[in-house]
Amino acid sequence: MSDGDLIIASDDAPPDLDAIRRAAVRIRGRVHETPVISSRSLDEEFGGNILFKCENLQRVGAFKARGAANAVFALSDDDAARGVATHSSGNHGAALALAAASRGIPCWVVVPTNAPRIKADAVVRYGATVVPCEPGLRSREEGLTRVLESTGATRVHPYDDYRVIAGQGTTAVEFLSQSPALDVLMTPVGGGGLIAGCAIAAKGIKPEIRVIGCEPANADDAKRSFESGNRVVVDAPDTVADGLRASLGVRNFAIILDYVDDIVTVSESEIIAAMRLVWERLKMVIEPSCAVPVAALMNGSLNPVGRTVGVVLTGGNVDLDNLPWQGAG
Amino acid sequence: MSDGDLIIASDDAPPDLDAIRRAAVRIRGRVHETPVISSRSLDEEFGGNILFKCENLQRVGAFKARGAANAVFALSDDDAARGVATHSSGNHGAALALAAASRGIPCWVVVPTNAPRIKADAVVRYGATVVPCEPGLRSREEGLTRVLESTGATRVHPYDDYRVIAGQGTTAVEFLSQSPALDVLMTPVGGGGLIAGCAIAAKGIKPEIRVIGCEPANADDAKRSFESGNRVVVDAPDTVADGLRASLGVRNFAIILDYVDDIVTVSESEIIAAMRLVWERLKMVIEPSCAVPVAALMNGSLNPVGRTVGVVLTGGNVDLDNLPWQGAG
């Protein structure tokens, strides 16, 4: 079980580029290689070369398929047999359910009652058990603890887990192999799984690249943590970006301090305008969380002029009956 | 001017595969090579391998960029200097405007007043002049005649033009080079530019492929023409698929009779359900017209079981404030 040994070792410490490359090999064929797209009209408006990595086209409609697949397929057979469990406002839950179904093991997902219904539905569709809880990190943790104690399942945290971080980092490995010219890499920041993995991978491949985290001003725990050097926790922040309501994980924060260049914030109205711009111009269905880096380009937080900027479009699971610009209009 | 000579010659007769390949060379770099995507969950539901050619990600958000670019860049310098003109409910207008702007020549677009505003806006954005007219083919033709007489511009018909047909056919050349395994190719049918060009190209490359045209039952002129052998014209049909309101062109009908295997129809509610399915599962913003072949897969008009079916997603220009399922709900 050399593969398992490698993972157990790498789970004790943050993944390096090699560990992320091994994760990419492990999940190959279990997740999609997603396309990179661009728009000449957007490039003209922004004055830079903006490349979009379409993880909204990933399996389960979000990059979360990567981390979940890496975590599930790295388990020993004995651990796997007892199943996996997590809490998630949605995309990680669906991703873990899919990965567990692929390996033929049970899966439980603790889902807060304010998560979009489409996300809980996806968990069920992949054959996992949904365990409802109240919104907020504390309720999610309590619900999950009960599940773990009663089942013996392995916890796969949505972001504060080195195997998950390594899996999410495969996004940057793939992006830079498709688009080696990137000067800047922008991702949303919620719990920090994506940006932590991507920052390690991107700086490993191309040390001069700038990695920028983007988050809602209404959920700015990452920015405040990054600037103060102390991890700030925000419970149940009020933002349309439902995928970014979680606070930064412990492991994620440490990696972000080491590898990320800056964290910028955007307003709720900027998120909605950016989401709409992507729908209209890129013809991509993206969820609000996914629009946050685009909002940062639109509000001038990052000046793309003359640069090649990579944006990870993180997910496309949105309730088509409740689009945010319709409530606002 | 050997390039111009080739075109004048090929404009006298339907393009063959070679002419379509030359069109592909002519427009290279002026249009995008669009990605092909698929969804495992949709494949499981449909029981076949469904591949989607994302022309909604094409320049101007529709395959029409191909035909317009081929027509404009095939003009002699003298003809080009006097500009180009067309009538269009939208995507062809934007496409011609873009192609004309690329060549630095004037462009006039006659747009019916019931066209989605996003489409007229795009014409203006690319620097062309919009000439409004009443809905219906007769009004469009009258408006265009006045423009042609006053400007000396060259008419570039949205579909009933061999250069446009050749340009649209490059979609199939590209699709089959990306996905050689296609057993079936499905496209919407409006005026017939896309299916005519694609049928010639697809049958030329792979004679055993089946080419199926799909249209709204409310605008079933192509089906009735195909079955009767006589071209039927429907003026201003009432369908949510605004891009398919035009009747089959003369040149298009002749090619369809020779090359297309079948024409199938779908209801308005099937179009809307298919559009929503693509948004939810493929994360692609598509316009109603574009959903018509997907609706034909959903309603059983074509059985995909065990086959590799290619669907051209033709365009993504839709008014996000007026989504069809919201009116219906």
Side-chain angles (χ1 to χ4, degrees):
Chain A
M1 290 285 293
S2 65
D3 190 52
D5 289 348
L6 278 171
I7 281 306
I8 290 162
S10 73
D11 196 36
D12 292 338
D16 58 11
L17 175 59
D18 281 348
I20 296 172
R21 289 196 196 280
R22 286 196 300 273
V25 172
R26 183 175 299 112
I27 68 178
R28 189 171 292 160
R30 306 187 194 284
V31 301
H32 293 316
E33 178 171 334
T34 55
V36 173
I37 65 168
S38 63
S39 158
R40 292 195 208 187
S41 67
L42 282 187
D43 282 359
E44 283 163 19
E45 277 182 39
F46 285 129
N49 182 20
I50 320 294
L51 301 176
F52 298 90
K53 173 73 170 159
C54 296
E55 288 293 302
N56 61 322
L57 306 183
Q58 186 51 267
R59 295 197 75 185
V60 311
F63 72 92
K64 299 268 184 175
R66 297 173 181 270
N70 189 49
V72 164
F73 283 92
L75 289 175
S76 71
D77 288 346
D78 283 352
D79 286 342
R82 287 187 297 274
V84 288
T86 193
H87 65 71
S88 166
S89 59
N91 283 331
H92 173 66
L96 193 65
L98 169 65
S102 303
R103 193 159 175 181
I105 64 176
C107 176
W108 294 266
V109 182
V110 177
V111 179
T113 51
N114 67 339
R117 199 185 130 185
I118 184 178
K119 297 191 175 179
D121 286 350
V123 171
V124 173
R125 180 144 42 91
Y126 291 115
T129 302
V130 170
V131 181
C133 76
E134 294 302 305
L137 187 58
R138 183 183 304 255
S139 303
R140 290 160 64 143
E141 289 285 348
E142 288 171 357
L144 179 57
T145 299
R146 282 193 295 273
V147 168
L148 296 174
E149 287 173 353
S150 64
T151 63
T154 297
R155 174 181 190 154
V156 181
H157 194 280
Y159 46 86
D160 201 349
D161 177 308
Y162 289 135
R163 296 165 306 189
V164 170
I165 291 170
Q168 317 304 30
T170 65
T171 310
V173 172
E174 199 173 288
F175 200 174
L176 276 161
S177 80
Q178 293 164 305
S179 310
L182 294 187
D183 300 311
V184 182
L185 179 63
M186 300 176 81
T187 81
V189 185
L194 178 66
I195 195 164
C198 284
I200 293 169
K203 297 278 185 177
I205 294 167
K206 190 169 184 176
E208 70 274 25
I209 200 169
R210 280 179 65 80
V211 178
I212 311 292
C214 308
E215 70 178 349
N218 281 8
D220 67 345
D221 59 288
K223 184 175 179 66
R224 288 194 280 151
S225 302
F226 186 75
E227 292 184 347
S228 70
N230 294 302
R231 192 173 71 101
V232 175
V233 173
V234 179
D235 200 31
D238 180 23
T239 173
V240 68
D242 56 275
L244 306 180
R245 289 181 187 138
S247 290
L248 221 47
V250 173
R251 292 164 186 76
N252 311 81
F253 177 51
I255 294 169
I256 286 169
L257 278 182
D258 279 352
Y259 289 90
V260 170
D261 294 289
D262 201 5
I263 309 271
V264 298
T265 62
V266 300
S267 73
E268 295 296 298
S269 63
E270 288 163 353
I271 294 170
I272 294 169
M275 179 175 166
R276 187 164 174 144
L277 183 79
V278 169
W279 285 45
E280 287 182 342
R281 304 289 281 280
L282 293 180
K283 312 303 178 190
M284 284 286 158
V285 172
I286 61 164
E287 54 190 88
S289 309
C290 178
V292 169
V294 182
L297 284 170
M298 290 170 76
N299 78 7
S301 290
L302 185 112
N303 180 356
V305 173
R307 298 204 262 184
T308 299
V309 178
V311 172
V312 181
L313 294 181
T314 48
N317 294 322
V318 63
D319 181 354
L320 295 178
D321 290 317
N322 290 294
L323 299 175
W325 51 79
Q326 296 172 326
Chain B
M1 290 281 294
S2 65
D3 190 52
D5 290 346
L6 277 172
I7 280 309
I8 289 163
S10 73
D11 196 34
D12 292 336
D16 58 10
L17 175 59
D18 280 349
I20 296 172
R21 289 197 196 279
R22 287 196 300 273
V25 171
R26 182 175 300 111
I27 68 179
R28 189 171 294 159
R30 307 189 194 282
V31 301
H32 293 316
E33 177 172 334
T34 56
V36 173
I37 65 166
S38 63
S39 158
R40 292 195 206 188
S41 66
L42 283 187
D43 282 359
E44 282 164 20
E45 276 182 38
F46 285 128
N49 182 19
I50 319 293
L51 301 176
F52 298 90
K53 173 74 170 158
C54 296
E55 288 292 301
N56 61 322
L57 306 183
Q58 187 50 270
R59 295 197 76 184
V60 312
F63 72 93
K64 299 270 184 175
R66 296 174 181 270
N70 190 47
V72 164
F73 283 92
L75 290 175
S76 70
D77 287 347
D78 282 354
D79 286 343
R82 287 187 297 274
V84 287
T86 193
H87 64 70
S88 165
S89 60
N91 284 331
H92 173 67
L96 192 65
L98 170 65
S102 304
R103 192 159 176 184
I105 63 176
C107 175
W108 294 267
V109 182
V110 176
V111 178
T113 52
N114 67 340
R117 199 183 131 187
I118 184 177
K119 297 190 175 180
D121 286 351
V123 172
V124 173
R125 180 145 44 91
Y126 291 116
T129 303
V130 169
V131 182
C133 76
E134 294 303 306
L137 188 57
R138 183 184 304 255
S139 305
R140 289 160 64 143
E141 289 286 348
E142 288 171 357
L144 179 57
T145 300
R146 283 193 295 275
V147 168
L148 295 174
E149 286 172 353
S150 64
T151 62
T154 297
R155 175 181 188 154
V156 180
H157 193 280
Y159 47 86
D160 201 349
D161 177 308
Y162 289 135
R163 296 164 304 187
V164 170
I165 291 170
Q168 317 305 30
T170 65
T171 310
V173 172
E174 198 173 287
F175 199 173
L176 276 160
S177 80
Q178 293 165 305
S179 308
L182 295 187
D183 300 311
V184 183
L185 179 63
M186 301 177 79
T187 80
V189 184
L194 178 65
I195 194 164
C198 283
I200 294 169
K203 296 278 185 177
I205 293 167
K206 189 169 185 177
E208 69 275 24
I209 199 169
R210 281 179 63 80
V211 177
I212 311 292
C214 307
E215 71 179 348
N218 281 8
D220 66 346
D221 59 289
K223 184 176 179 64
R224 287 195 279 149
S225 303
F226 186 74
E227 292 184 348
S228 69
N230 294 302
R231 192 172 70 99
V232 176
V233 172
V234 179
D235 200 32
D238 180 25
T239 173
V240 67
D242 56 275
L244 307 181
R245 290 183 187 138
S247 290
L248 222 47
V250 174
R251 292 164 185 77
N252 311 82
F253 177 51
I255 294 170
I256 286 170
L257 278 182
D258 279 352
Y259 289 91
V260 171
D261 294 288
D262 201 4
I263 309 271
V264 299
T265 62
V266 300
S267 72
E268 295 296 297
S269 63
E270 288 163 353
I271 295 170
I272 295 169
M275 178 175 166
R276 187 164 173 144
L277 183 79
V278 169
W279 285 44
E280 286 182 344
R281 304 289 280 281
L282 291 180
K283 312 303 178 190
M284 284 285 158
V285 173
I286 61 165
E287 55 190 87
S289 310
C290 177
V292 169
V294 182
L297 284 170
M298 290 170 76
N299 78 7
S301 291
L302 185 114
N303 180 356
V305 172
R307 299 204 262 185
T308 299
V309 178
V311 173
V312 181
L313 294 181
T314 48
N317 294 322
V318 62
D319 181 353
L320 295 178
D321 290 317
N322 290 294
L323 298 175
W325 51 79
Q326 295 171 328

